[in-house]
Amino acid sequence: MGNRGMEELIPLVNRLQDAFSSIGQACNLDLPQIAVVGGQSAGKSSVLENFVGRDFLPRGSGIVTRRPLVLQLISATAEWAEFLHCKGKKFTDFDEVRQEIESETDRVTGANKGISPVPINLRVCSPHVLNLTLIDLPGITKVPVGDQPADIEQQIRDMIMQFITRESCLILAVTPANTDLANSDALKLAKDVDPQGLRTIGVITKLDLMDEGTDARDVLENKLLPLRRGYIGVVNRSQKDIDGKKDIKAALEAERKFFLSHPSYRHIADKMGTPRLQKVLNQQLTNHIRDTLPAFRSKLQSQLLALDKEAEEYRGYRPDDPSRKTKQLLQMVQQFSVDFEKRIEGSGDQVDTVELSGGAKINRIFHERFPFELVKMECDEKEMRREISYAIKNIHGIRTGLFTPDMAFEAIVKKQIIKLKEPCVKCVDMVIQELINTVRQCSNKLECYPTLREETERIVTSHIRDRESRAKDQVLLLIDIQVSYINTNHEDFIGFANAQQRSSQTNKSQSSAGNQVIRKGWLTINNISIMKGGAKEYWFVLTAESLSWFKDDEEKEKKYMLPLDNLKVRDVEKSFMSSKHIFCIFNTESRNVYKDNRTLELACDSQDDVDSWKSSLLRAGVYPEKTTTVESETTSTTDNFSMDPQLERKVETIRNLVDSYMAIVNKCIRDLIPKTIMHLMITNVKEFINAELLAQLYSAGDQNALMDESQEQAQRRDEVLRTHQALKEALAIIGDISTSTVTVPLPPPVDTSWVGGSSGGRRSPPPSPTAPRRMSSGQRPTPRGAPPPPNRPGPLGPFNNSADSPQAPSRPNRAPPSIPSRRPPPSPTRQVPP
């Protein structure tokens, strides 16, 4: 086959691929693509076929390749081909592959020379190839034919540029030997995307079709029109050879004979031909692989270290060993207990950085959600005064009372205390839900034993539910205790004597606390019109008197300050297109809150943030809105209600007394309820897990059944062991690649300023003194007896084809001069025989 130049690297890369294929992973060495660029009928497809060693591409005159062909070569034990557009169908006859390429091309472009940038993807598996991607591109043309558009040249150029602009793409710039090299479109495109010449290799085809007496010796020796990586000459099969079914192996032998027998090329025959081109590309691939090996090796070593401990545990694993199951059960229960306690009490390891959970969430419930629920139960001021006045009148009955009745105070206070039962029970429910979530999170580590996980969750959750009723009974008992005796002798209670002074004291305390900051944080103002920039995020500062927002958290540029007088909070339904949670602030007197807006819509990232901000606003005196029904009933009743001055004084006195006493009750409830829940629920559950869970598991059923591992765990164990072994093999293979391959240094740069300009006005470099040369039509040959002009060799690097070639006997040794700054002319087109 034709891939002899790559045979040294194939076994090593294949071993690496096999090591990873055994564990279902890909070996991501990221080998480069190879794009073949050139004019029409330059021999691009023939060069590409030589890499595969098969005759499978369409042939003919004019533009034959009319769609890019992305050819993926995969090293395999068998040889077959598969197209992406008919996936699953394997082609073993490569004549059928050619017919399919032609049919698929005609299907998209038509049968009249049309082109399309839509690529055909072909995968070829063979034991004679490396894992490479080769790209056969349409030939560069200038004159449209058939159905081709007028801008055919630009379209093909854009199509080619899509591929060769990638840094991992090697460019084979193919130019026929019987055309002017200086005007090569392939070299011009390569120079545009690779000005340093790091990934461009010149390929000269059709050397056997040059005019008699002419040759491309100076070009192939990289002396005329030099490239950094030089040129490689190839001789492809002629159309007669293709029609006669001449195989590629025979064609390579004929190519070898041509270079050995030709007088101008025999001294560089070892530097020419398809095997040499494959070897050069192989060296480039080897360099690329060696460059990627350090990072690849480090990645494999880190994966190996991560699996070492787990693989060691699995190596001597016996699933049916009873002693192992007993030991594993004890370890799992102990680990579950430790994880639960860490999540509740807090720990430095296994910290959740995404959201609050466990003890932090319960702490937030105790100190933000529960106070928020308590404050929400406070009734409207007008409704409170109405109830107090009715209580006073009903207590006096038919008589007109001279004094303020303390029974009215007790009736109102008891009613307010009873309302606290709902938020207290809700607090218990929220803590229970968080405890159950914590149990589920801790049981995730038991997923390899599904029966054990289910039993653990069931036992602990059942115990939490049993404790729920006791906790709620105790909470309700605390409320009933508060209702049973109204302690008007409490040291913090203002008493009747001081009730009249309560209003003035409250006003003074509020004014002194007006500048106290209650909360700071980022909020999004959601109802800014699109014309004014749409929703924006600001830094908000909430005090007892105002809500201000700034451009950023440095608080230097204040955008607005909103007084809190007559403001309330209302929930806003989350919109379908928005991921944020929204609430709004509005004025109870139907005034604009912010500029021309009746409401100020504020958005947070989560519902917890919304609840936290609403709790802070409650502390500042901004209460949530009542439901519409309650408001309308209250308004209609209040509108018909009036008080005489004497009754109004009594109502004010009792109102202040109720405020004072409810502050005492709220303070007591806010302190006792979290303590009660902590004792009866959280601490008890921790003690149950530590002391009773293992015994409950033993009594629940068969111990061996509890420790039956899941199918996923068995697969995980096998996968870990296979991956660990594959990683060790891969690291050993990488060591072989590092020691068995040699890095080829990059050739030095050359002057490639000749690429991309016209040939007019350029001076032609002198020809070789002995070898036949191609000359322009107006150039005279050098007389035989005249001294030869100095030659102008380019700098020769490892890829330059005359670096280690023997000199012809008649060519004297010369020191290579530096490259002149003048631009050399194109290759001449005609030779005068000597």
Side-chain angles (χ1 to χ4, degrees), residues 164-179:
I164 66 175
T165 50
R166 300 170 186 167
E167 289 297 324
S168 61
C169 181
L170 298 179
I171 305 170
L172 297 187
V174 179
T175 305
N178 53 4
T179 61

Side-chain angles (χ1 to χ4, degrees), residues 615-822:
S615 176
S616 299
L617 287 167
L618 277 171
R619 289 173 56 193
V622 180
Y623 290 86
E625 180 188 27
K626 296 285 183 180
T627 59
T628 306
T629 306
V630 174
E631 274 197 352
S632 59
E633 292 177 357
T634 304
T635 304
S636 60
T637 309
T638 307
D639 288 343
N640 299 326
F641 175 74
S642 60
M643 290 187 291
D644 59 79
Q646 184 180 2
L647 178 60
E648 189 171 355
R649 286 193 298 271
K650 295 177 181 179
V651 168
E652 183 66 25
T653 300
I654 292 182
R655 179 71 182 92
N656 290 334
L657 292 171
V658 169
D659 277 348
S660 175
Y661 195 82
M662 286 306 299
I664 297 170
V665 173
N666 275 326
K667 183 178 179 181
C668 182
I669 292 298
R670 287 176 61 177
D671 181 60
L672 284 178
I673 296 301
K675 290 179 178 179
T676 302
I677 296 174
M678 188 71 190
H679 174 69
L680 295 177
M681 293 290 304
I682 301 173
T683 303
N684 181 272
V685 171
K686 287 194 300 182
E687 291 174 352
F688 172 81
I689 293 174
N690 284 327
E692 300 293 332
L693 177 59
L694 185 60
Q696 294 269 3
L697 286 171
Y698 272 116
S699 62
D702 184 12
Q703 171 196 345
N704 291 329
L706 284 176
M707 297 308 296
D708 286 341
E709 64 178 356
S710 64
Q711 184 178 358
E712 292 79 7
Q713 175 65 11
Q715 293 175 352
R716 166 69 181 170
R717 184 177 66 251
D718 294 340
E719 181 182 347
V720 167
L721 292 175
R722 287 190 295 109
T723 303
H724 189 267
Q725 183 61 30
L727 290 171
K728 291 173 66 176
E729 292 178 6
L731 287 171
I733 295 168
I734 287 176
D736 292 341
I737 294 177
S738 300
T739 56
S740 62
T741 57
V742 179
T743 301
V744 179
L746 187 69
V750 298
D751 181 12
T752 57
S753 58
W754 58 271
V755 180
S758 62
S759 59
R762 295 180 180 174
R763 296 177 59 190
S764 173
S768 173
T770 58
R773 300 172 295 280
R774 298 176 61 196
M775 306 180 64
S776 60
S777 58
Q779 185 176 1
R780 296 178 179 274
T782 305
R784 281 187 178 275
N791 282 287
R792 181 178 167 235
L796 303 179
F799 288 93
N800 291 345
N801 300 311
S802 60
D804 52 355
S805 61
Q807 296 290 335
S810 59
R811 296 172 66 89
N813 293 330
R814 297 156 294 177
S818 59
I819 300 175
S821 59
R822 56 189 175 86

Side-chain angles (χ1 to χ4, degrees), residues 182 193 405 460 545:
V193 298
V460 179
E545 289 187 346

Side-chain angles (χ1 to χ4, degrees), residues 86-156:
C86 46
K87 203 167 185 180
K89 181 179 179 182
K90 294 185 178 181
F91 295 81
T92 55
D93 186 350
F94 281 81
D95 288 335
E96 294 181 3
V97 173
R98 181 190 306 108
Q99 294 172 5
E100 181 63 29
I101 293 174
E102 292 173 348
S103 300
E104 180 65 13
T105 300
D106 292 343
R107 185 183 67 82
V108 175
T109 64
N112 195 17
K113 306 298 183 183
I115 67 166
S116 170
V118 180
I120 298 175
N121 291 272
L122 173 62
R123 177 184 300 168
V124 175
C125 296
S126 171
H128 310 290
V129 298
L130 269 181
N131 292 328
L132 297 176
T133 301
L134 305 174
I135 305 167
D136 188 19
L137 295 166
I140 303 168
T141 185
K142 299 182 182 299
V143 180
V145 295
D147 292 336
Q148 294 176 354
D151 61 342
I152 180 68
E153 180 182 7
Q154 185 62 38
Q155 285 194 22
I156 293 178

Side-chain angles (χ1 to χ4, degrees), residues 15-309:
R15 285 172 55 198
L16 199 59
Q17 290 281 20
D18 292 341
F20 280 91
S21 297
S22 65
I23 58 174
Q25 295 184 8
C27 176
N28 297 319
L29 279 179
D30 190 24
L31 296 181
Q33 295 178 337
I34 301 172
V36 186
V37 182
Q40 285 186 15
S41 302
K44 302 183 302 302
S45 297
S46 296
V47 171
L48 198 61
E49 283 181 336
N50 289 339
F51 286 103
V52 183
R54 284 287 188 173
D55 184 10
F56 66 97
L57 293 175
R59 298 303 187 100
S61 59
I63 182 167
V64 179
T65 304
R66 294 182 284 132
R67 289 176 61 184
L69 176 67
V70 179
L71 177 62
Q72 183 184 4
L73 301 182
I74 299 176
S75 181
T77 55
E79 190 171 38
W80 51 273
E82 181 184 21
F83 288 93
L84 184 62
H85 61 268
C86 46
K87 203 167 185 180
K89 181 179 179 182
K90 294 185 178 181
F91 295 81
T92 55
D93 186 350
F94 281 81
D95 288 335
E96 294 181 3
V97 173
R98 181 190 306 108
Q99 294 172 5
E100 181 63 29
I101 293 174
E102 292 173 348
S103 300
E104 180 65 13
T105 300
D106 292 343
R107 185 183 67 82
V108 175
T109 64
N112 195 17
K113 306 298 183 183
I115 67 166
S116 170
V118 180
I120 298 175
N121 291 272
L122 173 62
R123 177 184 300 168
V124 175
C125 296
S126 171
H128 310 290
V129 298
L130 269 181
N131 292 328
L132 297 176
T133 301
L134 305 174
I135 305 167
D136 188 19
L137 295 166
I140 303 168
T141 185
K142 299 182 182 299
V143 180
V145 295
D147 292 336
Q148 294 176 354
D151 61 342
I152 180 68
E153 180 182 7
Q154 185 62 38
Q155 285 194 22
I156 293 178
R157 176 185 172 87
D158 294 342
M159 192 186 308
I160 293 173
M161 296 294 281
Q162 289 179 8
F163 294 93
I164 66 175
T165 50
R166 300 170 186 167
E167 289 297 324
S168 61
C169 181
L170 298 179
I171 305 170
L172 297 187
V174 179
T175 305
N178 53 4
T179 61
D180 189 355
L181 185 65
N183 290 329
S184 169
D185 291 323
L187 290 173
K188 288 180 184 178
L189 288 174
K191 179 68 180 297
D192 289 342
V193 298
D194 181 31
Q196 301 299 321
L198 300 177
R199 49 192 180 92
T200 303
I201 299 174
V203 179
I204 306 298
T205 61
K206 302 188 179 181
L207 291 167
D208 55 331
L209 301 182
M210 295 183 68
D211 293 341
E212 186 177 353
T214 62
D215 60 58
R217 175 175 176 171
D218 287 347
V219 173
L220 294 177
E221 290 181 347
N222 208 32
K223 296 176 181 177
L224 182 69
L225 312 178
L227 288 177
R228 185 166 189 170
R229 292 193 179 275
Y231 298 87
I232 296 176
V234 297
V235 176
N236 298 323
R237 293 176 298 169
S238 65
Q239 191 62 42
K240 180 179 178 181
D241 295 335
I242 296 170
D243 295 339
K245 303 295 182 182
K246 183 177 182 179
D247 65 10
I248 292 180
K249 185 175 181 181
L252 292 176
E253 290 295 332
E255 180 187 53
R256 177 72 176 163
K257 289 180 181 178
F258 171 81
F259 285 113
L260 288 173
S261 61
H262 198 287
S264 299
Y265 308 136
R266 64 178 60 162
H267 66 292
I268 55 173
D270 291 340
K271 303 292 189 294
M272 297 293 110
T274 300
R276 171 65 180 178
L277 177 59
Q278 292 171 340
K279 185 177 180 180
V280 168
L281 289 174
N282 185 39
Q283 291 170 342
Q284 179 68 16
L285 295 176
T286 303
N287 287 352
H288 178 85
I289 292 173
R290 287 175 63 91
D291 290 342
T292 59
L293 283 184
F296 194 52
R297 182 190 290 112
S298 299
K299 179 181 177 183
L300 295 183
Q301 287 175 339
S302 63
Q303 292 179 354
L304 186 65
L305 289 174
L307 290 177
D308 271 342
K309 184 177 179 181

